[in-house]
Amino acid sequence: MRTILAPMGMLVEGVWNDIPRDTRATGGAFVRPKSAFRDRVLEPRGEIRPGRYRLYVAKSCPWAHRTLIVRALKGLEKAIPVFYAAPYMAENGWEFADGGIQYLHQLYSRAKPDYTGRVTVPVLWDDEEQRIVNNESSEIIRMLNREFDAFARRKLADLYPEKLRREIDWLNERIYRTVNNGVYRAGFATAQDKYEEAVTQLFGTLDWLEKRMKRRKWLCGSSFTEADVRLFTTLVRFDAVYYSHFKCNLRRLIDYPNLWRYTRRVYALPHVAKTVDLAQIKAHYYRSMKQINPTQIVPKGPLLDFRLH
């Protein structure tokens, strides 16, 4: 069993180390570490100072992309400043040209000087208290959905309504395990059986979703919810990255008529298209993951048109 030489590195007691991810202990399976910062915005709604909270993201990252979509849909651009990482991630991890840091691990060390763990985006940062509020995308989008409502410049229905929460949670669990994280379980596997298990589960869920979306506008029927945001950020990357780079090549997204139409429908929502940067997405995956693509050559294709016609 070999080691994945991922250029992520990690902090060990606050000191950055270029430590590769090792899959020997998991028998070749990719296991995603849990997010370490899980606090919430504490102020009551309407009492948050605009600009106090910042988002550190990468346009290439599907988890960070979730937060950008909710921010754009609600019109929170003025309330929550955003800082973008460069697409290429080398031995020092995510790199920034602004936001008061050069590398994201500096922000983690500032928040917790003895922090040990991986350094990931997105990060919701409290600039007043100099702390990381949260680095778990699923929880950040719920905060953007509710806590920042007073600053929303665009009307958007609740993305996590009470009456649909059970269904949303059920969808989120399956889609996260087999699709959102499933593509990574396939792409980062270092054992044939672990790869095949991940790919089988991935396409089992995609086939199921294709049937589910035959007569539905959104995953929960007529209501656009956080489940749609979470699925979209994987689907929009599928043919350009996961199909080839991560060997998820049983079928392409465009081979699923209902899912392809659904993806273009999300893309067509106001302000969503501007959050999608396929050039950065491809540059990050194909250049940063040298253990999968040693030449770092970024493919020219595929030619994708997400616009509804």
Side-chain angles (χ1 to χ4, degrees), residues 21 31 50 76 110 156 160 167 183 187 220 251 261 294 303:
R21 183 183 285 119
V31 178
L76 295 171
R110 187 184 305 171
L156 183 69
Y160 191 55
E167 184 177 11
V183 294
C220 291
R251 286 172 289 282
R261 182 168 52 251
L303 298 176

Side-chain angles (χ1 to χ4, degrees), residues 3-51:
T3 298
I4 280 190
L5 299 176
M8 285 188 66
M10 63 182 292
L11 284 168
V12 178
E13 296 184 353
V15 178
W16 180 257
N17 290 264
D18 186 20
I19 299 174
R21 183 183 285 119
D22 191 342
T23 59
R24 287 174 296 184
T26 59
F30 167 70
V31 178
R32 185 177 297 279
K34 292 183 178 180
S35 301
F37 296 87
R38 310 294 289 271
D39 288 342
R40 299 191 63 82
V41 171
L42 300 177
E43 300 94 322
R45 267 188 263 180
E47 295 184 17
I48 300 171
R49 178 177 62 80

Side-chain angles (χ1 to χ4, degrees), residues 254-284:
I254 62 173
D255 295 325
Y256 290 101
N258 298 328
L259 281 178
W260 176 235
R261 182 168 52 251
Y262 163 81
T263 302
R264 289 180 292 147
R265 187 177 295 131
V266 179
Y267 185 87
L269 291 174
H271 310 286
V272 169
K274 68 182 180 182
T275 71
V276 179
D277 192 329
L278 277 181
Q280 283 213 19
I281 289 168
K282 288 166 61 175
H284 168 68

Side-chain angles (χ1 to χ4, degrees), residues 158-182:
D158 185 4
L159 296 176
Y160 191 55
E162 186 75 38
K163 65 179 181 179
L164 293 176
R165 288 184 181 180
R166 188 172 181 178
E167 184 177 11
I168 291 170
D169 290 343
W170 169 68
L171 285 164
N172 284 345
E173 192 282 328
R174 177 170 181 176
I175 291 169
Y176 167 77
R177 178 172 44 85
T178 60
V179 180
N180 301 141
N181 198 44

Side-chain angles (χ1 to χ4, degrees), residues 114-138:
D114 61 348
Y115 174 72
T116 295
R118 298 289 176 182
V119 173
T120 60
V121 287
V123 168
L124 182 63
W125 173 258
D126 182 345
D127 199 48
E128 188 171 301
E129 295 190 0
Q130 294 287 291
R131 70 184 181 104
I132 294 176
V133 179
N134 201 294
N135 69 336
E136 169 51 57
S137 64
S138 62

